[in-house]
Amino acid sequence: MSVVKSPLSESDLKTVGDALQGALVDLVDLSLVAKQVHWNVVGPRFRSVHLQLDEVVDTARQHSDTVAERASAVGVNPDGRSATIAKTTAINVAPEGWIKDTDAVKALVDALGIVIGRMRERIEVTENPDPVSQDILITLTADLEKHAWMFQAESA
Protein backbone atom coordinates (compact mmCIF):
# COMPACT_ATOMS: atom_id res chain seq x y z
CA MET A 1 0.00 0.00 0.00
CA SER A 2 1.28 3.44 -0.87
CA VAL A 3 -0.39 6.52 0.49
CA VAL A 4 1.94 8.84 -1.42
CA LYS A 5 1.54 8.91 -5.18
CA SER A 6 4.94 9.07 -6.81
CA PRO A 7 5.64 11.56 -9.59
CA LEU A 8 8.06 8.95 -11.03
CA SER A 9 7.39 5.97 -13.29
CA GLU A 10 7.66 2.55 -11.68
CA SER A 11 11.10 1.84 -13.14
CA ASP A 12 12.40 5.29 -12.22
CA LEU A 13 10.93 4.92 -8.74
CA LYS A 14 12.79 1.61 -8.29
CA THR A 15 16.10 3.21 -9.33
CA VAL A 16 15.60 6.32 -7.20
CA GLY A 17 14.16 4.39 -4.26
CA ASP A 18 17.13 2.03 -4.20
CA ALA A 19 19.55 4.96 -4.38
CA LEU A 20 17.84 6.84 -1.57
CA GLN A 21 17.53 3.75 0.63
CA GLY A 22 21.19 2.92 0.09
CA ALA A 23 22.16 6.49 0.92
CA LEU A 24 20.06 6.36 4.08
CA VAL A 25 21.73 3.14 5.22
CA ASP A 26 25.20 4.53 4.57
CA LEU A 27 24.49 7.80 6.37
CA VAL A 28 22.92 6.17 9.43
CA ASP A 29 25.78 3.68 9.72
CA LEU A 30 28.39 6.39 9.15
CA SER A 31 26.90 8.37 12.04
CA LEU A 32 26.99 5.28 14.27
CA VAL A 33 30.57 4.36 13.36
CA ALA A 34 31.76 7.95 13.82
CA LYS A 35 30.01 8.20 17.20
CA GLN A 36 31.48 4.87 18.38
CA VAL A 37 34.96 6.05 17.41
CA HIS A 38 34.24 9.46 19.01
CA TRP A 39 33.50 7.83 22.37
CA ASN A 40 36.62 5.67 22.31
CA VAL A 41 39.36 7.75 20.69
CA VAL A 42 42.54 8.26 22.73
CA GLY A 43 45.94 9.74 22.04
CA PRO A 44 47.80 13.02 21.68
CA ARG A 45 45.31 14.37 19.12
CA PHE A 46 42.30 13.22 21.12
CA ARG A 47 40.54 16.57 21.32
CA SER A 48 40.81 17.59 17.67
CA VAL A 49 39.85 14.13 16.39
CA HIS A 50 37.06 13.84 18.97
CA LEU A 51 35.52 17.14 17.84
CA GLN A 52 36.01 16.36 14.15
CA LEU A 53 34.13 13.08 14.60
CA ASP A 54 31.13 14.93 16.00
CA GLU A 55 31.09 17.08 12.86
CA VAL A 56 30.81 13.93 10.74
CA VAL A 57 28.00 12.63 12.97
CA ASP A 58 26.10 15.91 12.64
CA THR A 59 26.51 15.94 8.85
CA ALA A 60 25.44 12.31 8.46
CA ARG A 61 22.39 12.76 10.70
CA GLN A 62 21.27 15.95 8.98
CA HIS A 63 21.57 14.42 5.52
CA SER A 64 19.97 11.13 6.56
CA ASP A 65 16.84 13.03 7.50
CA THR A 66 16.83 14.87 4.17
CA VAL A 67 17.31 11.62 2.25
CA ALA A 68 14.58 9.81 4.21
CA GLU A 69 12.14 12.67 3.69
CA ARG A 70 12.93 12.74 -0.05
CA ALA A 71 12.22 9.01 -0.22
CA SER A 72 8.86 9.58 1.46
CA ALA A 73 8.10 12.48 -0.88
CA VAL A 74 8.51 10.25 -3.94
CA GLY A 75 6.48 7.41 -2.42
CA VAL A 76 9.22 5.16 -1.00
CA ASN A 77 9.19 4.04 2.61
CA PRO A 78 12.59 4.83 4.14
CA ASP A 79 13.92 2.04 6.33
CA GLY A 80 16.39 3.14 8.98
CA ARG A 81 15.83 0.23 11.36
CA SER A 82 18.94 -1.17 13.00
CA ALA A 83 18.43 -4.62 11.47
CA THR A 84 18.23 -3.08 7.99
CA ILE A 85 21.34 -0.99 8.58
CA ALA A 86 23.30 -4.00 9.88
CA LYS A 87 22.19 -6.20 7.00
CA THR A 88 22.88 -3.76 4.16
CA THR A 89 25.79 -1.54 5.19
CA ALA A 90 29.12 -1.63 3.35
CA ILE A 91 31.02 0.22 6.08
CA ASN A 92 33.46 -1.80 8.16
CA VAL A 93 32.52 -2.34 11.79
CA ALA A 94 34.03 0.24 14.12
CA PRO A 95 37.03 -1.05 16.07
CA GLU A 96 36.28 -2.37 19.54
CA GLY A 97 37.70 -0.82 22.70
CA TRP A 98 39.94 2.23 22.93
CA ILE A 99 41.00 3.53 19.54
CA LYS A 100 44.32 5.31 19.06
CA ASP A 101 43.85 8.67 17.37
CA THR A 102 45.77 7.55 14.28
CA ASP A 103 43.58 4.44 13.98
CA ALA A 104 40.47 6.58 14.46
CA VAL A 105 41.51 8.80 11.58
CA LYS A 106 42.19 5.75 9.39
CA ALA A 107 38.80 4.24 10.28
CA LEU A 108 37.05 7.44 9.20
CA VAL A 109 39.08 7.83 6.03
CA ASP A 110 38.11 4.26 5.12
CA ALA A 111 34.43 4.67 6.04
CA LEU A 112 34.10 7.97 4.23
CA GLY A 113 35.83 6.54 1.17
CA ILE A 114 33.35 3.67 0.98
CA VAL A 115 30.34 5.93 1.45
CA ILE A 116 31.56 8.54 -1.03
CA GLY A 117 32.19 5.88 -3.68
CA ARG A 118 28.67 4.54 -3.26
CA MET A 119 27.17 8.05 -3.26
CA ARG A 120 28.91 8.86 -6.54
CA GLU A 121 27.34 5.75 -8.09
CA ARG A 122 23.94 6.91 -6.85
CA ILE A 123 24.52 10.36 -8.30
CA GLU A 124 25.06 8.77 -11.71
CA VAL A 125 21.98 6.54 -11.65
CA THR A 126 19.61 9.29 -10.46
CA GLU A 127 20.63 11.88 -13.07
CA ASN A 128 17.86 11.09 -15.56
CA PRO A 129 15.08 9.61 -13.45
CA ASP A 130 15.13 12.25 -10.70
CA PRO A 131 17.43 15.28 -10.79
CA VAL A 132 15.93 16.48 -7.49
CA SER A 133 17.16 13.39 -5.65
CA GLN A 134 20.42 13.63 -7.56
CA ASP A 135 20.87 17.19 -6.29
CA ILE A 136 20.41 16.01 -2.71
CA LEU A 137 23.00 13.28 -3.26
CA ILE A 138 25.43 15.76 -4.85
CA THR A 139 25.11 18.15 -1.90
CA LEU A 140 25.63 15.48 0.74
CA THR A 141 28.54 13.95 -1.17
CA ALA A 142 30.27 17.33 -1.28
CA ASP A 143 29.94 17.58 2.50
CA LEU A 144 31.28 14.05 2.98
CA GLU A 145 34.19 14.74 0.64
CA LYS A 146 35.09 17.77 2.74
CA HIS A 147 35.21 15.57 5.84
CA ALA A 148 37.27 12.98 3.96
CA TRP A 149 39.75 15.65 2.92
CA MET A 150 40.11 16.87 6.50
CA PHE A 151 40.65 13.37 7.88
CA GLN A 152 43.15 12.58 5.13
CA ALA A 153 45.02 15.78 6.04
CA GLU A 154 45.11 14.52 9.65
CA SER A 155 46.99 11.43 8.55
CA ALA A 156 49.51 13.19 6.25
Short mmCIF file of all heavy atoms in Angstrom, two decimals, residues 104-155:
data_model
loop_
_atom_site.label_atom_id
_atom_site.label_comp_id
_atom_site.label_asym_id
_atom_site.label_seq_id
_atom_site.Cartn_x
_atom_site.Cartn_y
_atom_site.Cartn_z
N ALA A 104 41.78 5.94 14.62
CA ALA A 104 40.47 6.58 14.46
C ALA A 104 40.41 7.34 13.13
O ALA A 104 39.41 7.25 12.40
CB ALA A 104 40.21 7.54 15.62
N VAL A 105 41.46 8.05 12.84
CA VAL A 105 41.51 8.80 11.58
C VAL A 105 41.44 7.83 10.41
O VAL A 105 40.68 8.04 9.46
CB VAL A 105 42.78 9.68 11.52
CG1 VAL A 105 43.00 10.24 10.12
CG2 VAL A 105 42.68 10.81 12.54
N LYS A 106 42.21 6.74 10.47
CA LYS A 106 42.19 5.75 9.39
C LYS A 106 40.79 5.14 9.23
O LYS A 106 40.31 4.95 8.11
CB LYS A 106 43.21 4.66 9.63
CG LYS A 106 43.25 3.65 8.49
CD LYS A 106 44.24 2.54 8.71
CE LYS A 106 44.27 1.51 7.61
NZ LYS A 106 43.18 1.39 6.71
N ALA A 107 40.14 4.83 10.34
CA ALA A 107 38.80 4.24 10.28
C ALA A 107 37.83 5.18 9.57
O ALA A 107 37.00 4.74 8.77
CB ALA A 107 38.30 3.92 11.69
N LEU A 108 37.96 6.48 9.85
CA LEU A 108 37.05 7.44 9.20
C LEU A 108 37.41 7.68 7.75
O LEU A 108 36.51 7.81 6.91
CB LEU A 108 37.01 8.75 9.99
CG LEU A 108 35.81 8.87 10.91
CD1 LEU A 108 34.51 9.03 10.16
CD2 LEU A 108 35.69 7.70 11.88
N VAL A 109 38.68 7.71 7.43
CA VAL A 109 39.08 7.83 6.03
C VAL A 109 38.51 6.65 5.24
O VAL A 109 37.94 6.84 4.15
CB VAL A 109 40.62 7.91 5.89
CG1 VAL A 109 41.06 7.72 4.44
CG2 VAL A 109 41.14 9.24 6.43
N ASP A 110 38.63 5.45 5.79
CA ASP A 110 38.11 4.26 5.12
C ASP A 110 36.59 4.31 4.98
O ASP A 110 36.05 4.07 3.89
CB ASP A 110 38.51 2.99 5.87
CG ASP A 110 40.01 2.70 5.81
OD1 ASP A 110 40.72 3.33 4.99
OD2 ASP A 110 40.47 1.86 6.61
N ALA A 111 35.89 4.62 6.07
CA ALA A 111 34.43 4.67 6.04
C ALA A 111 33.93 5.73 5.06
O ALA A 111 33.02 5.48 4.27
CB ALA A 111 33.88 4.92 7.44
N LEU A 112 34.52 6.90 5.14
CA LEU A 112 34.10 7.97 4.23
C LEU A 112 34.39 7.60 2.77
O LEU A 112 33.58 7.88 1.89
CB LEU A 112 34.79 9.28 4.60
CG LEU A 112 34.23 9.96 5.85
CD1 LEU A 112 35.22 10.98 6.41
CD2 LEU A 112 32.88 10.61 5.55
N GLY A 113 35.51 6.95 2.53
CA GLY A 113 35.83 6.54 1.17
C GLY A 113 34.80 5.58 0.60
O GLY A 113 34.37 5.72 -0.56
N ILE A 114 34.37 4.62 1.41
CA ILE A 114 33.35 3.67 0.98
C ILE A 114 32.04 4.39 0.69
O ILE A 114 31.42 4.20 -0.36
CB ILE A 114 33.14 2.58 2.06
CG1 ILE A 114 34.37 1.66 2.11
CG2 ILE A 114 31.87 1.78 1.80
CD1 ILE A 114 34.43 0.76 3.33
N VAL A 115 31.61 5.23 1.61
CA VAL A 115 30.34 5.93 1.45
C VAL A 115 30.38 6.86 0.25
O VAL A 115 29.44 6.90 -0.56
CB VAL A 115 29.95 6.68 2.74
CG1 VAL A 115 28.74 7.57 2.53
CG2 VAL A 115 29.71 5.70 3.88
N ILE A 116 31.45 7.60 0.09
CA ILE A 116 31.56 8.54 -1.03
C ILE A 116 31.52 7.79 -2.37
O ILE A 116 30.84 8.21 -3.31
CB ILE A 116 32.83 9.40 -0.90
CG1 ILE A 116 32.66 10.40 0.26
CG2 ILE A 116 33.15 10.13 -2.22
CD1 ILE A 116 33.96 11.05 0.71
N GLY A 117 32.22 6.67 -2.45
CA GLY A 117 32.19 5.88 -3.68
C GLY A 117 30.78 5.44 -4.03
O GLY A 117 30.35 5.53 -5.19
N ARG A 118 30.05 4.98 -3.03
CA ARG A 118 28.67 4.54 -3.26
C ARG A 118 27.75 5.72 -3.59
O ARG A 118 26.84 5.60 -4.42
CB ARG A 118 28.18 3.76 -2.05
CG ARG A 118 28.88 2.40 -1.95
CD ARG A 118 28.71 1.72 -0.60
NE ARG A 118 27.37 1.58 -0.10
CZ ARG A 118 26.67 0.45 -0.07
NH1 ARG A 118 27.19 -0.68 -0.54
NH2 ARG A 118 25.46 0.41 0.45
N MET A 119 27.98 6.87 -2.96
CA MET A 119 27.17 8.05 -3.26
C MET A 119 27.39 8.50 -4.70
O MET A 119 26.44 8.88 -5.39
CB MET A 119 27.48 9.19 -2.30
CG MET A 119 27.04 8.97 -0.88
SD MET A 119 25.26 8.70 -0.70
CE MET A 119 25.18 8.46 1.07
N ARG A 120 28.62 8.45 -5.17
CA ARG A 120 28.91 8.86 -6.54
C ARG A 120 28.20 7.95 -7.54
O ARG A 120 27.73 8.41 -8.57
CB ARG A 120 30.41 8.92 -6.78
CG ARG A 120 31.03 10.14 -6.09
CD ARG A 120 32.48 10.33 -6.48
NE ARG A 120 32.87 11.71 -6.23
CZ ARG A 120 32.72 12.71 -7.08
NH1 ARG A 120 32.16 12.51 -8.25
NH2 ARG A 120 33.11 13.93 -6.77
N GLU A 121 28.11 6.67 -7.23
CA GLU A 121 27.34 5.75 -8.09
C GLU A 121 25.86 6.14 -8.10
O GLU A 121 25.21 6.12 -9.14
CB GLU A 121 27.49 4.31 -7.59
CG GLU A 121 28.88 3.74 -7.78
CD GLU A 121 29.08 2.40 -7.07
OE1 GLU A 121 28.11 1.84 -6.51
OE2 GLU A 121 30.23 1.91 -7.08
N ARG A 122 25.35 6.51 -6.94
CA ARG A 122 23.94 6.91 -6.85
C ARG A 122 23.68 8.22 -7.59
O ARG A 122 22.61 8.41 -8.15
CB ARG A 122 23.55 7.03 -5.38
CG ARG A 122 23.57 5.70 -4.67
CD ARG A 122 23.29 5.84 -3.18
NE ARG A 122 23.45 4.54 -2.55
CZ ARG A 122 24.30 4.28 -1.57
NH1 ARG A 122 25.04 5.25 -1.05
NH2 ARG A 122 24.41 3.07 -1.09
N ILE A 123 24.65 9.11 -7.55
CA ILE A 123 24.52 10.36 -8.30
C ILE A 123 24.34 10.06 -9.79
O ILE A 123 23.48 10.64 -10.45
CB ILE A 123 25.75 11.28 -8.05
CG1 ILE A 123 25.71 11.84 -6.63
CG2 ILE A 123 25.81 12.41 -9.08
CD1 ILE A 123 27.01 12.50 -6.18
N GLU A 124 25.15 9.13 -10.30
CA GLU A 124 25.06 8.77 -11.71
C GLU A 124 23.70 8.18 -12.07
O GLU A 124 23.10 8.57 -13.07
CB GLU A 124 26.16 7.77 -12.06
CG GLU A 124 27.52 8.39 -12.22
CD GLU A 124 28.55 7.38 -12.70
OE1 GLU A 124 28.22 6.56 -13.59
OE2 GLU A 124 29.67 7.42 -12.17
N VAL A 125 23.22 7.24 -11.27
CA VAL A 125 21.98 6.54 -11.65
C VAL A 125 20.73 7.38 -11.46
O VAL A 125 19.68 7.07 -12.04
CB VAL A 125 21.82 5.18 -10.93
CG1 VAL A 125 22.97 4.26 -11.26
CG2 VAL A 125 21.61 5.33 -9.45
N THR A 126 20.80 8.45 -10.67
CA THR A 126 19.61 9.29 -10.46
C THR A 126 19.55 10.50 -11.39
O THR A 126 18.57 11.23 -11.37
CB THR A 126 19.53 9.76 -9.00
OG1 THR A 126 20.73 10.45 -8.65
CG2 THR A 126 19.28 8.59 -8.05
N GLU A 127 20.57 10.69 -12.21
CA GLU A 127 20.63 11.88 -13.07
C GLU A 127 19.37 12.02 -13.94
O GLU A 127 18.74 13.08 -13.94
CB GLU A 127 21.86 11.84 -13.97
CG GLU A 127 21.94 13.04 -14.90
CD GLU A 127 23.16 13.00 -15.80
OE1 GLU A 127 23.87 11.98 -15.85
OE2 GLU A 127 23.39 14.03 -16.46
N ASN A 128 19.01 10.99 -14.66
CA ASN A 128 17.86 11.09 -15.56
C ASN A 128 16.52 10.86 -14.88
O ASN A 128 15.59 11.62 -15.11
CB ASN A 128 18.03 10.13 -16.75
CG ASN A 128 19.13 10.62 -17.67
OD1 ASN A 128 19.28 11.82 -17.91
ND2 ASN A 128 19.90 9.69 -18.20
N PRO A 129 16.40 9.85 -14.02
CA PRO A 129 15.08 9.61 -13.45
C PRO A 129 14.62 10.66 -12.44
O PRO A 129 13.43 10.90 -12.30
CB PRO A 129 15.17 8.23 -12.80
CG PRO A 129 16.61 7.98 -12.61
CD PRO A 129 17.34 8.78 -13.65
N ASP A 130 15.55 11.29 -11.73
CA ASP A 130 15.13 12.25 -10.70
C ASP A 130 16.24 13.22 -10.33
O ASP A 130 16.97 13.01 -9.35
CB ASP A 130 14.63 11.52 -9.46
CG ASP A 130 13.99 12.47 -8.45
OD1 ASP A 130 13.58 13.58 -8.83
OD2 ASP A 130 13.91 12.09 -7.27
N PRO A 131 16.39 14.31 -11.08
CA PRO A 131 17.43 15.28 -10.79
C PRO A 131 17.30 15.92 -9.39
O PRO A 131 18.29 16.38 -8.84
CB PRO A 131 17.26 16.35 -11.88
CG PRO A 131 16.44 15.71 -12.94
CD PRO A 131 15.64 14.63 -12.29
N VAL A 132 16.11 15.93 -8.83
CA VAL A 132 15.93 16.48 -7.49
C VAL A 132 16.65 15.60 -6.47
O VAL A 132 17.42 16.10 -5.63
CB VAL A 132 14.43 16.63 -7.13
CG1 VAL A 132 14.26 17.12 -5.70
CG2 VAL A 132 13.74 17.58 -8.10
N SER A 133 16.44 14.30 -6.55
CA SER A 133 17.16 13.39 -5.65
C SER A 133 18.66 13.43 -5.94
O SER A 133 19.48 13.39 -5.02
CB SER A 133 16.64 11.95 -5.81
OG SER A 133 15.32 11.87 -5.34
N GLN A 134 19.01 13.53 -7.21
CA GLN A 134 20.42 13.63 -7.56
C GLN A 134 21.05 14.86 -6.90
O GLN A 134 22.16 14.79 -6.38
CB GLN A 134 20.61 13.70 -9.08
CG GLN A 134 22.08 13.71 -9.46
CD GLN A 134 22.34 14.14 -10.89
OE1 GLN A 134 21.72 15.07 -11.39
NE2 GLN A 134 23.28 13.46 -11.53
N ASP A 135 20.34 15.97 -6.90
CA ASP A 135 20.87 17.19 -6.29
C ASP A 135 21.13 16.99 -4.80
O ASP A 135 22.14 17.44 -4.26
CB ASP A 135 19.90 18.35 -6.53
CG ASP A 135 20.44 19.66 -6.02
OD1 ASP A 135 21.54 20.06 -6.45
OD2 ASP A 135 19.76 20.31 -5.19
N ILE A 136 20.22 16.30 -4.13
CA ILE A 136 20.41 16.01 -2.71
C ILE A 136 21.67 15.16 -2.51
O ILE A 136 22.48 15.43 -1.62
CB ILE A 136 19.16 15.30 -2.13
CG1 ILE A 136 17.99 16.29 -2.06
CG2 ILE A 136 19.44 14.67 -0.77
CD1 ILE A 136 16.64 15.66 -1.79
N LEU A 137 21.83 14.16 -3.36
CA LEU A 137 23.00 13.28 -3.26
C LEU A 137 24.29 14.03 -3.57
O LEU A 137 25.32 13.79 -2.93
CB LEU A 137 22.82 12.08 -4.20
CG LEU A 137 21.67 11.14 -3.85
CD1 LEU A 137 21.44 10.14 -4.96
CD2 LEU A 137 21.92 10.44 -2.52
N ILE A 138 24.25 14.95 -4.52
CA ILE A 138 25.43 15.76 -4.85
C ILE A 138 25.82 16.62 -3.64
O ILE A 138 27.00 16.68 -3.26
CB ILE A 138 25.18 16.63 -6.09
CG1 ILE A 138 25.12 15.76 -7.34
CG2 ILE A 138 26.25 17.72 -6.23
CD1 ILE A 138 24.62 16.49 -8.58
N THR A 139 24.85 17.27 -3.04
CA THR A 139 25.11 18.15 -1.90
C THR A 139 25.71 17.37 -0.73
O THR A 139 26.71 17.79 -0.14
CB THR A 139 23.82 18.86 -1.47
OG1 THR A 139 23.34 19.65 -2.57
CG2 THR A 139 24.05 19.75 -0.26
N LEU A 140 25.12 16.23 -0.40
CA LEU A 140 25.63 15.48 0.74
C LEU A 140 26.99 14.88 0.44
O LEU A 140 27.85 14.81 1.33
CB LEU A 140 24.62 14.44 1.22
CG LEU A 140 24.40 13.17 0.42
CD1 LEU A 140 25.37 12.08 0.83
CD2 LEU A 140 22.98 12.68 0.66
N THR A 141 27.24 14.50 -0.80
CA THR A 141 28.54 13.95 -1.17
C THR A 141 29.62 15.02 -1.05
O THR A 141 30.74 14.74 -0.58
CB THR A 141 28.51 13.34 -2.58
OG1 THR A 141 27.51 12.31 -2.60
CG2 THR A 141 29.85 12.74 -2.97
N ALA A 142 29.31 16.23 -1.44
CA ALA A 142 30.27 17.33 -1.28
C ALA A 142 30.64 17.51 0.18
O ALA A 142 31.82 17.70 0.51
CB ALA A 142 29.71 18.62 -1.86
N ASP A 143 29.66 17.45 1.06
CA ASP A 143 29.94 17.58 2.50
C ASP A 143 30.79 16.42 3.01
O ASP A 143 31.72 16.62 3.80
CB ASP A 143 28.63 17.66 3.30
CG ASP A 143 27.91 18.99 3.12
OD1 ASP A 143 28.50 19.94 2.57
OD2 ASP A 143 26.73 19.07 3.54
N LEU A 144 30.49 15.21 2.55
CA LEU A 144 31.28 14.05 2.98
C LEU A 144 32.70 14.13 2.44
O LEU A 144 33.66 13.76 3.14
CB LEU A 144 30.60 12.75 2.53
CG LEU A 144 29.24 12.45 3.16
CD1 LEU A 144 28.66 11.18 2.56
CD2 LEU A 144 29.33 12.36 4.68
N GLU A 145 32.85 14.61 1.22
CA GLU A 145 34.19 14.74 0.64
C GLU A 145 35.01 15.78 1.39
O GLU A 145 36.23 15.63 1.53
CB GLU A 145 34.10 15.07 -0.84
CG GLU A 145 33.67 13.86 -1.66
CD GLU A 145 33.50 14.13 -3.13
OE1 GLU A 145 33.48 15.32 -3.56
OE2 GLU A 145 33.37 13.15 -3.89
N LYS A 146 34.37 16.80 1.92
CA LYS A 146 35.09 17.77 2.74
C LYS A 146 35.61 17.10 4.02
O LYS A 146 36.75 17.30 4.41
CB LYS A 146 34.19 18.96 3.07
CG LYS A 146 34.90 20.03 3.87
CD LYS A 146 34.01 21.24 4.11
CE LYS A 146 34.74 22.28 4.94
NZ LYS A 146 33.89 23.44 5.23
N HIS A 147 34.77 16.30 4.64
CA HIS A 147 35.21 15.57 5.84
C HIS A 147 36.34 14.61 5.49
O HIS A 147 37.31 14.49 6.25
CB HIS A 147 34.05 14.80 6.47
CG HIS A 147 33.05 15.66 7.17
ND1 HIS A 147 33.36 16.47 8.24
CD2 HIS A 147 31.72 15.82 6.95
CE1 HIS A 147 32.27 17.10 8.65
NE2 HIS A 147 31.26 16.73 7.87
N ALA A 148 36.23 13.93 4.37
CA ALA A 148 37.27 12.98 3.96
C ALA A 148 38.60 13.70 3.75
O ALA A 148 39.65 13.21 4.17
CB ALA A 148 36.85 12.25 2.69
N TRP A 149 38.54 14.84 3.12
CA TRP A 149 39.75 15.65 2.92
C TRP A 149 40.39 16.00 4.26
O TRP A 149 41.59 15.86 4.45
CB TRP A 149 39.40 16.90 2.12
CG TRP A 149 40.33 18.06 2.30
CD1 TRP A 149 41.69 18.08 2.08
CD2 TRP A 149 39.98 19.38 2.73
NE1 TRP A 149 42.20 19.33 2.37
CE2 TRP A 149 41.17 20.15 2.76
CE3 TRP A 149 38.78 19.98 3.10
CZ2 TRP A 149 41.18 21.48 3.14
CZ3 TRP A 149 38.81 21.32 3.46
CH2 TRP A 149 39.99 22.05 3.49
N MET A 150 39.58 16.45 5.20
CA MET A 150 40.11 16.87 6.50
C MET A 150 40.71 15.70 7.27
O MET A 150 41.75 15.84 7.90
CB MET A 150 39.01 17.56 7.31
CG MET A 150 38.63 18.90 6.73
SD MET A 150 37.41 19.72 7.74
CE MET A 150 37.32 21.28 6.89
N PHE A 151 40.08 14.53 7.21
CA PHE A 151 40.65 13.37 7.88
C PHE A 151 41.93 12.89 7.18
O PHE A 151 42.87 12.46 7.83
CB PHE A 151 39.64 12.23 8.02
CG PHE A 151 38.77 12.37 9.23
CD1 PHE A 151 37.45 12.78 9.12
CD2 PHE A 151 39.27 12.09 10.49
CE1 PHE A 151 36.65 12.92 10.26
CE2 PHE A 151 38.47 12.22 11.63
CZ PHE A 151 37.17 12.63 11.51
N GLN A 152 41.94 12.96 5.86
CA GLN A 152 43.15 12.58 5.13
C GLN A 152 44.30 13.53 5.49
O GLN A 152 45.45 13.09 5.63
CB GLN A 152 42.90 12.58 3.64
CG GLN A 152 42.01 11.43 3.19
CD GLN A 152 41.66 11.53 1.74
OE1 GLN A 152 42.52 11.71 0.89
NE2 GLN A 152 40.37 11.41 1.44
N ALA A 153 44.00 14.81 5.65
CA ALA A 153 45.02 15.78 6.04
C ALA A 153 45.55 15.49 7.45
O ALA A 153 46.72 15.71 7.74
CB ALA A 153 44.46 17.20 5.97
N GLU A 154 44.69 14.92 8.30
CA GLU A 154 45.11 14.52 9.65
C GLU A 154 46.16 13.42 9.61
O GLU A 154 46.99 13.32 10.50
CB GLU A 154 43.91 13.97 10.45
CG GLU A 154 43.00 15.00 11.00
CD GLU A 154 43.45 15.54 12.36
OE1 GLU A 154 44.29 14.90 13.03
OE2 GLU A 154 42.96 16.59 12.73
N SER A 155 46.09 12.58 8.60
CA SER A 155 46.99 11.43 8.55
C SER A 155 48.22 11.67 7.66
O SER A 155 49.01 10.76 7.45
CB SER A 155 46.25 10.20 8.07
OG SER A 155 45.73 10.38 6.76
#
